[in-house]
Amino acid sequence: MKQSEATSLAARKRGKWGYIWPMWTSLLLHLLAILLFTTGFLLTRTELPYHSHCSDVSHSPCFSSNNNGSCWTKPATNRLLIIVLDALRFDFVAPSTFFAESKPWMDKLRVLKNAASTRPLSARIFKAIADPPTTSLQRLKGLTTGGLPTFVDVGNSFGAPAIVEDNFINQLVQNGKKVVMMGDDTWTQLFPHHFERSYPYPSFNVKDLHTVDNGCIEHLLPSLYEEDWDVLIAHFLGVDHAGHIFGVDSTPMIEKLEQYNTILERVIEVLENQSGPGSSHENTMLVVMGDHGQTLNGDHGGGSAEEVETAIFAMSFKKPLSSVPSEFDSCSCQLDLDGKNVCISTMQQLDFAVTVSALLGIPFPYGSIGHINPELYALGADSWNSDASQKLSESDIWMQNYANALCINSWQVKRYVDAYSTSSAVGFSHDDLSRIASVYAQVENHWSHSTKKLLLDRQNDSDTLVPALKRQIDAYFKFLTTVSELARSKWTEFDLNMMGTGIGIMLVSLIFQVFTILRANKKHGVMFSSSGDSCIITGSIFTIFLLGIRACSFLSNSYILEEGKVANFLLSTSGIVTLRQSVIQGKLLKESIGFLILSTLCRFAIEVGLSKQAATSAFMKDYTSWIINIASGLPVWDYAAEVIPMVVLILLAAWLYKATSGSLFDWPWKYVILGTILSYMLIIVHWITDSDRFGGTLMSQNIGRTYIPRIIYAIALGQLLLLTFGQLFKNSSLDCKTILVAKTMAILSAWSSTVILLSGKQGPMVAFASIVGGYFIMKFVNVEGGKDEPHRSFSIMQWSLFATCLFFCSGHWCAFDGLRYGAAFIGFEEFVLVRQAILLAIDTFGFSIILPVFGLPLLVATKYQANLGKHFIFTQLSQMYTTYGLITAITTTFTILCVTIQRRHLMVWGLFAPKFVFDVFNLILTDVLICLASIYYFDQGKDDQELKS
C-alpha cells in the first residue's frame, strides 16, 4: 500500500507530460530514422549537367551529316505532330483479334487500325513498353530524356520540377526548332521556357473529363494550318480521368475513345490534304502515343503488364520505303474483324527520344540510353537519295544510314556511361564498366576497320555491303541492349551509410519503446496473482508470435501482395485463441464466435478488394464502392445496394442519439455528437441527389454534389475546434473514466462523418464493422488477464490487426494505384494540392489509422476499476499507446529491412518501394495522432472520493 501511495504521489508531481514525453520522443526518433534512410534509399540517379552539341559528333568514329542544317544524322522528316493520349492502353489501339477475348472498349480507335492496315509501309502500330513507375511525370521525363525514371520522382507528380538534364525538347529549341504545346500543364512545368506557344490546362482534377481535351481540340486543328512550328505536342487527358473515376469498362471511357477516333480522323484528313509537293505537311510525321497504360479499374503507377504496355502509332505522309529488311522487323500480323491484315511491332519507350531525334536530325539527348528503333526510323527513309555511282536499292541506302545512326547512337551512350561513372558517387561497378568497354571496343573496331571502309568504297555492291552492315547493326544492338539491361538492374544509387544509419536509429527507437514499457511496469509496481501472471505471459507469447509472423511476412514479395489475407489470417488466429480462453473461463463465448464470424466477413471483403485490384473495373464507380457491384445486374440488388448504406447510416445515427440521452455526455461532447448526426443525414441527402435513381428529387445536383460535402467538412472542422476549445474547461462533477469515455466517443464521431463520406456507400458498412469489432475486442479484455493488469498486449495486437484488415476491406492496397483519387474531389472540382492531399489521406487511412488510434482509450475504460483513480488510467493510456506505436514501428522496421535487402530486386520500384512509402507514412501518421491523442486524453479528471480521502 505504501508503494502504491508513493507511486501516486510521484505521478501527481510529474503531471501529464511525465506520461506522454516517451511518445513524442519516439516520434522524433522515427522522423530522424526515416529521413536518413529515405535520403539514402530514394536518391535519384545523378543528373549530369552536360548537353549534346552539333560539334560533338566530330569526336565519334562515325560519319557526320551537314546537309539541311542537321548536325548528327540526316533528317528524315521536317515536322512532327505528337498527340499524347494519357493512359492509352495497348488494347485501345490494337484490334480485338490480337486478344483471347473481345472487350467493349476494343476497336474504338478504328482510324489508327485502318491506316495501319491500308498503308502498312507508311503507318505502323507499336506496342510500347514503359519502365515503371508508370506515373505521368516519370513517363514524360523518360520519353523526352531517353533515360530511366527513378522512384523518388513519384513525389513530384503533383508539382513537377523543370527538367534540368538534356532532353529532346531542349535539343529542338537549341537547334532552332519551334515547339508548340497544348493540353496537360505538366509539360509547361517540365519545360517552362521552351515553347513558341503553349495552351496549358490544369491536369489533376480527375473528375473533369473534358476541359483539357476541349482545349486541345480548340487549338489543335487550327494549328495544323499554321507555319510557326516544327514540333506540335497535344496531350489529351480524358481517357486517364475516365479510367480513374469510372474504370475502363464504362460508358464514359467508350465515349472518350470514340471522341478521340473522330478527332484523329480529322487530323489525318488535314495532314493528307496538305501533304502534296510544296505543301506545309509534305514531310510531316504523325505520332499518336500513350505515356503509360492503366489497369482495368483505371489505376497506374506500378509495373503490371496493363500499366507498362501502351501504344505508339506512327504515320508518314510521303512515299514509303518499299520494305524493311526482315531482320529488323519485329511485327506480328493478324486479320482484324474486317478481314484486313494488321501488323503490330514492339518497342521500348526508352527508345523514343533517340529515334525521334534521329528522324529530325538533331543531337541525341546526352543521357539517353535507348537505341534507334529500326521500324520507326524506316518511316522516313524516302528522304535519302543515293549517289548515282552506287548501284544500291533504297533498302540498302536506308541500311547504310541506319548503321551510321546506330554508330552515333552507340558512341553517345558510351560517352554518357563514361561520364556518369566519373561524375557519380557510385555509378556502374568496375566489372560492369569493363564489360561495357569490351563490347563497345569490339563494335568500334569492326566499324573502323571493316564496315566504314566498305561504305567509303563506292565500287561495292549489295552482295558485299549488306551482310557487313547487318553484322555491324547486330553488334550495335548487342552493345546498346547490354547497357540498357545493366542500367535497369543497377541504375539507382543507394547510399548504404545513410540507409544503415537510418536502420540503426530505428532499432534504437524500438529499444527505447520497449524500455519505456518495461520501466513503466516496474515503476508502478503492479502486483499480479499467479493465475493472472500466467494469463499475461500466455497473452504476451501469442502477441509476440502474431507480431513476428506479420513482420517477417514483409520480407517476401508474395506475402506483401497478399498482405490483407495475411492480416486477416492472423486476426482469425487471435480469435481462435480468444475462443479457447473463453471456453476455459466459461464467459464471452457468444462474443468470441461473433468475432470469428466478423473476421470471415472481412476476408470476403478483402477478396473483393483484391479482385478489384487485379481483375476488374466493375467495382470502380463514382464512389469506388465495391458493395454496389457485388451482384450487379440484379434489379432488386441494385436498389438494395443504394438503400442499405443509407439504412445502416440511419442506424448509426440512432445509436449515437441514444448515447447522448444519458448523463454521460455533457457540454461540449453532446453538441459534437448532435453535429455528427446532422452530418449523417446530410450524407444521405448527398447520396440521394447524386444517384441516378433518386437524383433531382430533393435539390439540384450541383448543391447535392458540391455544397453538401463542403458543409459536412465544415461541421467536422467545427467539431474538432469545439473539442479543442473544450479542453480549456474542466468538468469537476465527472470522474476520470466518464470523461475518458465521453471524449473518446466525441472525437470518434467528429472524424467519422468525413471518413464515411469519402469512403462512399461502403463507408457505413465498414464503420458498422469497425464498431462491432471494437466492441468484441473491448469485451475480450476481461478474459486476457488479472483485473490489475496494466499492459494488454494481446488486445492491442488484435486492435492493430483489425485496423489493418479495415484498410483492405475498404478497397485500398499498398500501391499508388490503390489510392482513390476521386475521393479527393468529393465536394470540389478544382485542384488545390494541400486540400486534396488531406482528403486523400483521410480516405486512405481513416478506418485504419485515424479512428483506431483515437478509439484505443476504450480498451482502458473497459477494465477501469472505481477505486484506482485517474493516475492509473493515465498509466494505462501511456503504456497502451506506447505498445500500439511499438507494434506499428516493428512492422515498419521489417519493411525497411525488406527494401534494403531487396533493393536490387526486379520488383523494387513496382512493389517494395510503394509498400515502404505506405508503411512509413502509416508510422509517422500513427505517431503524430498518438501524440495529439495524448494531449487530448491526458487531462486532469476527478478522482473518486475514496481515493481523495
Side-chain angles (χ1 to χ4, degrees):
M1 186 66 182
K2 290 181 179 181
Q3 183 181 3
S4 177
E5 290 175 354
T7 301
S8 179
L9 180 60
R12 287 187 176 91
K13 290 181 179 180
R14 189 168 63 248
K16 69 176 183 179
W17 289 103
Y19 296 100
I20 66 178
W21 73 266
M23 305 172 199
W24 289 85
T25 304
S26 298
L27 171 61
L28 294 176
L29 287 173
H30 291 159
L31 285 172
L32 179 60
I34 289 169
L35 175 63
L36 292 174
F37 183 87
T38 303
T39 302
F41 175 63
L42 295 184
L43 280 176
T44 58
R45 56 181 169 81
T46 302
E47 295 183 348
L48 303 184
Y50 311 127
H51 292 72
S52 297
H53 302 283
C54 283
S55 59
D56 295 346
V57 76
S58 62
H59 302 294
S60 75
C62 319
F63 297 111
S64 60
S65 174
N66 293 310
N67 66 316
N68 297 330
S70 64
C71 54
W72 276 30
T73 57
K74 293 180 180 180
T77 186
N78 296 331
R79 307 182 84 187
L80 179 65
L81 171 59
I82 301 175
I83 297 178
V84 181
L85 305 181
D86 206 291
L88 183 72
R89 284 169 58 100
F90 174 62
D91 58 5
F92 287 167
V93 177
S96 58
T97 53
F98 278 76
F99 305 94
E101 183 181 358
S102 178
K103 297 293 183 181
W105 59 83
M106 296 179 180
D107 300 315
K108 301 304 177 186
L109 296 177
R110 297 176 296 278
V111 62
L112 303 183
K113 181 262 297 180
N114 291 338
S117 61
T118 57
R119 303 172 61 172
L121 296 178
S122 57
R124 179 64 62 94
I125 295 174
F126 297 85
K127 177 195 284 186
I129 310 299
D131 289 287
T134 48
T135 51
S136 292
L137 173 64
Q138 281 74 22
R139 295 314 332 129
L140 293 184
K141 291 186 71 172
L143 284 168
T144 56
T145 65
L148 293 172
T150 45
F151 184 82
V152 74
D153 293 330
V154 172
N156 295 323
S157 290
F158 291 100
I163 295 180
V164 295
E165 62 182 327
D166 198 12
N167 57 81
F168 163 61
I169 303 297
N170 177 71
Q171 287 297 333
L172 288 170
V173 176
Q174 294 302 315
N175 288 275
K177 306 290 186 181
K178 296 179 179 179
V179 186
V180 172
M181 192 286 304
M182 56 198 66
D184 185 349
D185 63 352
T186 304
W187 285 91
T188 56
Q189 298 174 47
L190 294 173
F191 310 102
H193 308 295
H194 294 72
F195 300 120
E196 187 76 12
R197 287 185 288 119
S198 63
Y199 307 98
Y201 296 89
S203 57
F204 287 112
N205 185 358
V206 293
K207 284 194 169 184
D208 185 354
L209 273 59
H210 306 295
T211 297
V212 178
D213 289 358
N214 292 340
C216 286
I217 295 169
E218 177 185 353
H219 298 289
L220 175 58
L221 293 174
S223 295
L224 296 180
Y225 297 95
E226 302 290 339
E227 301 284 345
D228 65 341
W229 58 270
D230 299 292
V231 175
L232 189 152
I233 300 169
H235 191 142
F236 290 77
L237 277 176
V239 161
D240 179 65
H241 289 185
H244 280 304
I245 299 300
F246 301 103
V248 171
D249 189 6
S250 64
T251 300
M253 177 64 76
I254 294 174
E255 291 174 347
K256 267 296 163 189
L257 293 173
E258 291 176 341
Q259 179 190 24
Y260 288 173
N261 187 70
T262 302
I263 296 166
L264 293 172
E265 283 180 341
R266 295 169 64 187
V267 168
I268 292 176
E269 181 182 358
V270 171
L271 294 178
E272 285 183 327
N273 293 337
Q274 299 290 324
S275 62
S279 298
S280 58
H281 296 297
E282 178 184 6
N283 194 14
T284 296
M285 179 176 288
L286 168 66
V287 174
V288 180
M289 63 187 302
D291 53 348
H292 51 74
Q294 57 178 304
T295 62
L296 288 175
N297 54 33
D299 299 320
H300 57 88
S304 68
E306 293 176 306
E307 295 166 276
V308 300
E309 291 180 0
T310 182
I312 292 179
F313 169 84
M315 184 176 184
S316 177
F317 293 89
K318 61 188 177 186
K319 180 174 177 258
L321 184 70
S322 60
S323 64
V324 177
S326 59
E327 293 89 345
F328 311 123
D329 195 340
S330 64
C331 68
S332 61
C333 303
Q334 204 153 326
L335 298 178
D336 63 11
L337 295 177
D338 299 324
K340 298 178 180 178
N341 192 50
V342 179
C343 295
I344 295 179
S345 302
T346 302
M347 68 176 290
Q348 298 289 326
Q349 267 195 3
L350 189 70
D351 304 334
F352 179 79
V354 66
T355 305
V356 173
S357 297
L359 286 169
L360 290 169
I362 61 175
F364 307 161
Y366 191 94
S368 171
I369 58 171
H371 76 269
I372 301 171
N373 181 270
E375 294 151 290
L376 183 55
Y377 190 65
L379 294 178
D382 188 54
S383 297
W384 302 315
N385 298 315
S386 65
D387 192 311
S389 64
Q390 282 186 295
K391 306 300 181 182
L392 299 174
S393 67
E394 60 178 5
S395 176
D396 297 339
I397 298 169
W398 170 84
M399 198 179 301
Q400 285 187 36
N401 285 279
Y402 184 56
N404 187 65
L406 282 180
C407 176
I408 299 174
N409 189 183
S410 299
W411 164 80
Q412 166 261 321
V413 170
K414 178 62 166 58
R415 177 185 66 167
Y416 171 66
V417 170
D418 292 341
Y420 185 85
S421 298
T422 302
S423 304
S424 171
V426 180
F428 293 96
S429 68
H430 177 73
D431 291 341
D432 294 336
L433 289 174
S434 298
R435 179 184 173 192
I436 291 172
S438 174
V439 177
Y440 182 74
Q442 293 177 17
V443 298
E444 184 184 10
N445 182 67
H446 188 270
W447 170 266
S448 300
H449 296 92
S450 177
T451 309
K452 191 173 184 179
K453 291 181 179 180
L454 289 174
L455 291 173
L456 291 172
D457 186 356
R458 298 294 179 178
Q459 302 304 316
N460 290 314
D461 57 13
S462 294
D463 292 338
T464 304
L465 189 60
V466 170
L469 286 174
K470 289 182 177 179
R471 288 193 298 270
Q472 186 68 54
I473 290 172
D474 288 340
Y476 283 137
F477 278 177
K478 179 181 178 181
F479 167 74
L480 293 167
T481 301
T482 299
V483 174
S484 62
E485 288 177 350
L486 283 173
R488 282 192 175 95
S489 64
K490 301 183 178 181
W491 191 254
T492 305
E493 298 176 8
F494 300 105
D495 189 334
L496 296 180
N497 291 330
M498 294 288 283
M499 293 170 65
T501 304
I503 293 174
I505 296 176
M506 198 71 192
L507 294 175
V508 169
S509 74
L510 299 183
I511 295 171
F512 171 77
Q513 288 175 292
V514 172
F515 175 76
T516 300
I517 295 171
L518 297 177
R519 177 175 175 270
N521 284 343
K522 182 178 180 180
K523 188 169 185 178
H524 291 280
V526 180
M527 303 301 293
F528 307 103
S529 64
S530 59
S531 60
D533 189 48
S534 175
C535 291
I536 295 166
I537 294 174
T538 303
S540 298
I541 291 174
F542 275 115
T543 301
I544 296 172
F545 172 73
L546 295 175
L547 181 58
I549 292 179
R550 174 158 167 72
C552 291
S553 69
F554 293 157
L555 300 178
S556 165
N557 60 322
S558 299
Y559 282 110
I560 290 177
L561 288 170
E562 302 289 346
E563 182 183 358
K565 293 181 181 179
V566 173
N568 183 261
F569 172 78
L570 297 178
L571 182 68
S572 301
T573 302
S574 73
I576 294 173
V577 173
T578 303
L579 177 62
R580 173 183 175 276
Q581 195 69 19
S582 298
V583 172
I584 292 174
Q585 297 188 13
K587 58 182 180 180
L588 299 178
L589 188 60
K590 294 181 179 178
E591 287 81 355
S592 300
I593 296 174
F595 186 74
L596 289 174
I597 294 174
L598 178 63
S599 178
T600 303
L601 295 176
C602 286
R603 173 59 183 260
F604 169 75
I606 291 170
E607 290 283 0
V608 172
L610 288 174
S611 65
K612 167 181 173 290
Q613 174 184 355
T616 177
S617 63
F619 305 105
M620 289 291 291
K621 297 297 181 183
D622 288 341
Y623 288 98
T624 66
S625 296
W626 52 262
I627 192 68
I628 296 178
N629 294 277
I630 291 177
S632 58
L634 299 177
V636 175
W637 175 257
D638 289 341
Y639 281 98
E642 295 274 2
V643 173
I644 289 175
M646 302 179 190
V647 173
V648 174
L649 200 56
I650 291 173
L651 291 175
L652 293 176
W655 176 75
L656 280 177
Y657 180 77
K658 183 178 179 181
T660 60
S661 61
S663 59
L664 178 66
F665 291 95
D666 199 354
W667 186 94
W669 309 308
K670 184 173 184 178
Y671 298 102
V672 169
I673 291 182
L674 291 176
T676 300
I677 294 173
L678 173 61
S679 294
Y680 286 177
M681 298 302 104
L682 289 175
I683 291 174
I684 293 175
V685 174
H686 170 65
W687 287 341
I688 291 175
T689 56
D690 201 40
S691 172
D692 295 333
R693 294 181 177 84
F694 308 112
T697 58
L698 294 179
M699 60 185 71
S700 69
Q701 287 194 349
N702 184 52
I703 295 176
R705 290 182 175 179
T706 303
Y707 293 102
I708 287 182
R710 295 183 185 182
I711 293 172
I712 295 170
Y713 300 146
I715 292 174
L717 181 59
Q719 290 172 306
L720 294 176
L721 291 175
L722 183 60
L723 290 174
T724 303
F725 182 73
Q727 291 288 97
L728 303 176
F729 299 92
K730 313 299 180 185
N731 193 330
S732 59
S733 62
L734 298 176
D735 61 42
C736 194
K737 175 184 176 180
T738 302
I739 292 176
L740 182 64
V741 173
K743 278 187 172 185
T744 305
M745 295 293 295
I747 198 166
L748 289 178
S749 68
W751 278 105
S752 65
S753 57
T754 301
V755 173
I756 290 174
L757 172 66
L758 296 177
S759 297
K761 293 179 182 177
Q762 67 197 20
M765 271 67 74
V766 180
F768 182 78
S770 66
I771 292 174
V772 174
Y775 169 78
F776 287 149
I777 295 174
M778 286 188 291
K779 297 291 287 184
F780 296 157
V781 172
N782 292 318
V783 299
E784 187 177 342
K787 68 176 183 178
D788 294 333
E789 181 203 340
H791 186 214
R792 306 176 179 87
S793 58
F794 190 70
S795 295
I796 299 171
M797 188 67 211
Q798 281 186 314
W799 196 273
S800 176
L801 289 171
F802 185 55
T804 302
C805 289
L806 291 178
F807 175 81
F808 292 95
C809 287
S810 55
H812 296 96
W813 58 90
C814 293
F816 294 110
D817 54 4
L819 296 172
R820 294 200 299 248
Y821 298 102
F825 291 92
I826 293 178
F828 301 98
E829 296 295 331
E830 65 282 359
F831 175 79
V832 177
L833 176 61
V834 175
R835 181 182 64 202
Q836 263 58 58
I838 292 173
L839 293 179
L840 187 63
I842 294 175
D843 170 67
T844 306
F845 300 104
F847 283 116
S848 59
I849 298 180
I850 298 175
L851 296 181
V853 167
F854 283 109
L856 264 176
L858 293 176
L859 295 183
V860 174
T862 299
K863 209 168 185 183
Y864 174 77
Q865 300 294 320
N867 62 342
L868 294 177
K870 63 187 178 185
H871 298 295
F872 180 82
I873 280 188
F874 290 171
T875 302
Q876 298 267 291
L877 282 175
S878 176
Q879 292 174 292
M880 186 165 292
Y881 271 126
T882 305
T883 304
Y884 193 82
L886 175 63
I887 291 172
T888 307
I890 289 175
T891 56
T892 304
T893 301
F894 271 78
T895 300
I896 292 174
L897 292 173
C898 173
V899 296
T900 303
I901 296 170
Q902 307 284 6
R903 65 187 182 276
R904 297 299 183 189
H905 194 282
L906 180 65
M907 299 178 67
V908 62
W909 303 123
L911 176 66
F912 296 113
K915 171 63 177 170
F916 165 76
V917 171
F918 269 78
D919 277 14
V920 162
F921 189 88
N922 187 344
L923 175 62
I924 297 302
L925 182 59
T926 299
D927 283 347
V928 169
L929 292 179
I930 284 176
C931 291
L932 294 177
S934 67
I935 296 176
Y936 176 71
Y937 288 122
F938 285 72
D939 198 5
Q940 296 301 317
K942 170 181 174 289
D943 261 339
D944 299 310
Q945 293 296 326
E946 180 182 347
L947 283 175
K948 280 188 173 183
S949 63

